[in-house]
Amino acid sequence: TAAFQNLRRAHMRLALRASLTQAEGPDSHTRSLGETIEVSVSLLRPEQQQGLAALCALPPKPATFDEDTACAVLQSVLKSKLAALHTLDRLVDAGLVEHWQGAYTIHPAIVDWHTTIAHPINKATYDAARCALVQHMMQVLKLPSRPMQPTDTLTAEQWPLAIAAVQTALELGLPAAADHFVHVLFDRLERYGLRELARQLLDAAAHHHSDDARCAAHLCEHQIRRGQALIWSGDLSASIACLRQAVECARRDAPATLPAALANLARAHLQAGDAQGALNVCNEAFGLEDLPNQPAWQLKVLTTYSAALSHLGLYDQAEEELRQIAALARELNQPAAEIAALINLGILCRQRNRHAEAVGYLEAGLALAREIDFRERMLHALTALGVIALDRGDCAQAEHYYNEALPIAHQLNDLPNIVLLEHALGVLHMRQGKHQQAHTHLLEALTLAERHTLTWYAASVRVELGEWHLEQGQVEQAELVFTRGLEIATERGFTDLAALNRFGLARVCAERGNHSAARQLAQDSRHVLRNLSHYRSDEIAAWIEKLPAESAITPSVTEMTGTTSSAS
């Protein structure tokens, strides 16, 4: 343990010693790794030493950089491009920079040596090189031709350089650079799970005051980005307020940003459990003349629209929309939107008890998400596949999916999906008879959902939490949980969740011997779910068949469903 802890420290790694050759005896002279690097560097001329210090501003191996990037950084300390190229060649010859098939890289140990024990005279050189890296990447990553347009020209090899430039801009306090990177990298940072870095970039960019002609559009864009960041953190009421301001700003000063503002506002309403509000915003976006000219945002609006239809139990319409979205996304080469459509189709097919189709869609979406390292969508697909594995009784496979998904959810700080996974783990442990673990996960899911006003999730979790109380013989607590779930689902128009919580109350009636009320509640629930082609409708029908024909106690159904309470 101590050895591994030491290896985490750069100065300890550089202090490691080894014999110069294996043939030498036990008394032979040894050099540390740091001393060996120092000997190599000492053989360089002063300008070459400065060049090496400059290249240490670049991310080390396994990251690579091309000749243009190397020259941009080297020219910050050398006089000309010719001198930069000569120095680069000399560093390769000296073994201090690696070169292979047009790509260069520098070993982490050499960067460690420079940043840990190199002579302080190189500090100014290092900082000048870091500024040069930022300026070079600003040239490589050009601003889009119009606001809020995604830029996907960045190659996999350039991505580590872009991240290094972003971090350097933050560390050196360069608000103009931060503003530039917000406009070209914000969505990609979210996609790769670097939400905290995106937030920091947004905060730093707030200190930049641009006087160019696009200032109004940039201000609207920053307002939209702030709304996105608030969605991530689960502060949905603040997000909706922020995005409404962005919509007004866009209408007044920057119409080109209006599709993005409305797309994000619709998403915020959906996350807050206001599916009808999300539909209203989507319909407003569909009325924009400019929406078809912005395919990325058009597809985002369509995706939210289909999800809202699904939340309201309008499954046929939602499925038709999703098929069209998948086809349109493929035609427009918009992989993120295609992935979302495939995953949502999988989730919807599972709701309709079409498991084979569901798995096909989800696996296709997961494969595409892995291909572009879209972690949020990987998380969605893994969670849904885990749910289907559990439907099929394969608890081990379900747990495997959930265990892969949960670290991604925490890395992204994605509260809705953390709630979803805690909920799923609760269901898994219920199936396995691990009652205490199940209760812990379900209660955590409900607590997070209520704390962050994730109302759809709050109604959904109550279905299984109420069932858990029934399994424990806690009929009163189950009634409180189901009643509150029914209230939320009815108020918000979540037809399927209302039916499931109503079935929970039917089971409460049955536990009390009130079979007449239980039958009526269950039949109402089955009728709704069957019309939706919901996978649990057959289960409810089988449950009704097993009910005794008469009951000893017959309070009205209204008394059961009209109870007002606040379940914890």
Side-chain angles (χ1 to χ4, degrees):
T1 300
F4 279 119
Q5 287 173 344
N6 283 337
L7 288 172
R8 292 179 185 275
R9 305 184 184 108
H11 71 278
M12 294 299 290
R13 293 196 296 274
L14 292 167
L16 292 173
R17 295 181 177 274
S19 297
L20 296 178
T21 69
Q22 292 182 351
E24 292 171 331
D27 297 328
S28 64
H29 174 68
T30 61
R31 286 197 186 115
S32 68
L33 177 58
E35 289 167 348
T36 303
I37 294 171
E38 187 167 2
V39 169
S40 297
V41 173
S42 69
L43 299 175
L44 299 174
R45 288 158 50 180
E47 67 272 18
Q48 293 162 353
Q49 292 182 12
Q50 280 193 312
L52 180 64
L55 291 178
C56 286
L58 300 174
K61 193 176 183 177
T64 63
F65 50 91
D66 60 16
E67 189 175 274
D68 285 345
T69 303
C71 285
V73 170
L74 287 168
Q75 282 181 261
S76 67
V77 297
L78 301 173
K79 299 297 183 184
S80 66
K81 184 172 183 179
L82 184 62
L85 288 170
H86 177 75
T87 297
L88 183 60
D89 288 342
R90 179 67 187 92
L91 294 173
V92 170
D93 292 341
L96 292 164
V97 171
E98 296 177 47
H99 181 223
W100 177 253
Q101 294 184 343
Y104 296 86
T105 188
I106 186 167
H107 197 281
I110 295 171
V111 177
D112 283 346
W113 176 83
H114 172 74
T115 55
T116 306
I117 60 175
H119 196 280
I121 195 172
N122 287 334
K123 176 70 167 63
T125 298
Y126 183 60
D127 286 345
R130 296 174 80 201
C131 286
L133 170 63
V134 172
Q135 294 299 320
H136 175 69
M137 292 310 298
M138 288 174 69
Q139 292 294 319
V140 171
L141 303 171
K142 298 185 184 301
L143 287 171
S145 57
R146 58 188 299 169
M148 296 300 297
Q149 287 300 295
T151 53
D152 291 320
T153 57
L154 196 65
T155 66
E157 291 74 22
Q158 290 171 322
W159 177 242
L161 295 170
I163 292 296
V166 167
Q167 292 169 331
T168 300
L170 293 172
E171 290 167 11
L172 297 181
L174 305 174
D179 180 76
H180 183 97
F181 291 137
V182 161
H183 296 297
V184 295
L185 289 175
F186 193 86
D187 290 329
R188 191 180 280 254
L189 289 170
E190 177 186 8
R191 181 189 302 174
Y192 290 157
L194 300 172
R195 286 179 171 175
E196 185 54 39
L197 188 59
R199 285 193 191 95
Q200 293 173 16
L201 200 58
L202 194 60
D203 291 342
H207 300 292
H208 175 64
H209 303 287
S210 172
D211 296 323
D212 65 24
R214 293 183 297 178
C215 185
H218 279 200
L219 288 173
C220 288
E221 183 170 346
H222 278 287
Q223 189 81 354
I224 294 167
R225 299 303 192 192
R226 278 194 289 273
Q228 282 182 262
L230 288 166
I231 292 175
W232 301 342
S233 62
D235 194 347
L236 296 168
S237 58
S239 174
I240 289 170
C242 180
L243 289 165
R244 281 178 179 158
Q245 291 177 10
V247 168
E248 292 306 313
C249 171
R251 283 199 185 104
R252 184 179 62 249
D253 301 320
T257 66
L258 190 53
L262 289 170
N264 281 290
L265 179 58
R267 178 185 173 195
H269 275 289
L270 185 68
Q271 293 281 28
D274 183 7
Q276 188 57 55
L279 284 181
N280 294 340
V281 176
C282 288
N283 284 324
E284 183 178 351
F286 293 144
L288 298 177
E289 291 182 3
D290 195 33
L291 187 64
N293 298 323
Q294 300 197 38
W297 293 110
Q298 180 186 18
L299 288 165
K300 285 182 185 292
V301 173
L302 285 166
T303 298
T304 301
Y305 183 74
S306 64
L309 291 172
S310 181
H311 278 208
L312 292 171
L314 302 172
Y315 292 156
D316 286 337
Q317 290 174 250
E319 187 170 343
E320 179 59 29
E321 287 288 339
L322 286 168
R323 292 185 192 283
Q324 292 181 17
I325 293 167
L328 181 60
R330 198 173 303 116
E331 178 186 334
L332 296 173
N333 191 28
Q334 296 283 332
E338 184 181 355
I339 292 164
L342 289 169
I343 292 172
N344 288 337
L345 273 169
I347 293 169
L348 193 55
C349 286
R350 180 259 174 183
Q351 287 290 95
R352 312 190 82 175
N353 214 25
R354 288 150 44 192
H355 286 134
E357 279 182 79
V359 169
Y361 283 127
L362 290 167
E363 288 182 344
L366 179 60
L368 274 177
R370 290 192 195 279
E371 191 175 312
I372 65 171
D373 197 23
F374 195 165
R375 296 179 193 182
E376 184 181 16
R377 298 306 183 195
M378 288 163 56
L379 166 61
H380 293 169
L382 288 165
T383 304
L385 284 166
V387 170
I388 292 174
L390 193 57
D391 288 343
R392 292 172 162 178
D394 191 344
C395 292
Q397 185 63 57
E399 194 162 11
H400 172 78
Y401 284 129
Y402 295 155
N403 286 338
E404 184 178 352
L406 195 57
I408 301 174
H410 282 289
Q411 178 198 30
L412 296 175
N413 193 27
D414 189 328
L415 283 164
N417 280 294
I418 291 172
V419 171
L420 194 62
L421 281 161
E422 291 289 349
H423 184 182
L425 285 164
V427 176
L428 172 65
H429 289 310
M430 282 176 69
R431 297 280 179 88
Q432 294 174 319
K434 300 175 181 177
H435 301 297
Q436 188 54 53
Q437 294 97 314
H439 187 249
T440 298
H441 285 292
L442 291 172
L443 207 55
E444 176 67 8
L446 183 59
T447 301
L448 287 172
E450 297 206 318
R451 183 185 302 156
H452 298 283
T453 61
L454 302 171
T455 51
W456 186 88
Y457 297 90
S460 179
V461 172
R462 280 184 164 85
V463 174
E464 274 75 31
L465 184 59
E467 290 178 1
W468 183 90
H469 283 297
L470 282 177
E471 286 188 8
Q472 304 307 304
Q474 300 169 1
V475 180
E476 296 293 333
Q477 292 94 324
E479 181 183 2
L480 291 173
V481 171
F482 288 132
T483 301
R484 181 58 184 147
L486 178 58
E487 289 171 354
I488 295 169
T490 302
E491 178 188 346
R492 294 290 189 170
F494 305 147
T495 310
D496 52 350
L497 295 181
L500 291 170
N501 278 287
R502 189 176 286 111
F503 174 55
L505 288 171
R507 293 176 60 189
V508 168
C509 287
E511 287 292 327
R512 290 173 171 163
N514 185 359
H515 300 127
S516 176
R519 184 182 302 278
Q520 187 171 339
L521 284 167
Q523 285 175 340
D524 289 345
S525 176
R526 181 193 60 179
H527 176 73
V528 170
L529 295 179
R530 182 162 288 172
N531 285 341
L532 296 173
S533 301
H534 194 281
Y535 73 102
R536 290 193 67 180
S537 62
D538 290 341
E539 171 197 337
I540 295 171
W543 185 86
I544 292 170
E545 288 296 319
K546 295 179 182 178
L547 273 178
E550 298 178 357
S551 67
I553 307 169
T554 57
S556 69
V557 175
T558 305
E559 289 177 326
M560 283 302 305
T561 60
T563 305
T564 302
S565 62
S566 55
S568 64

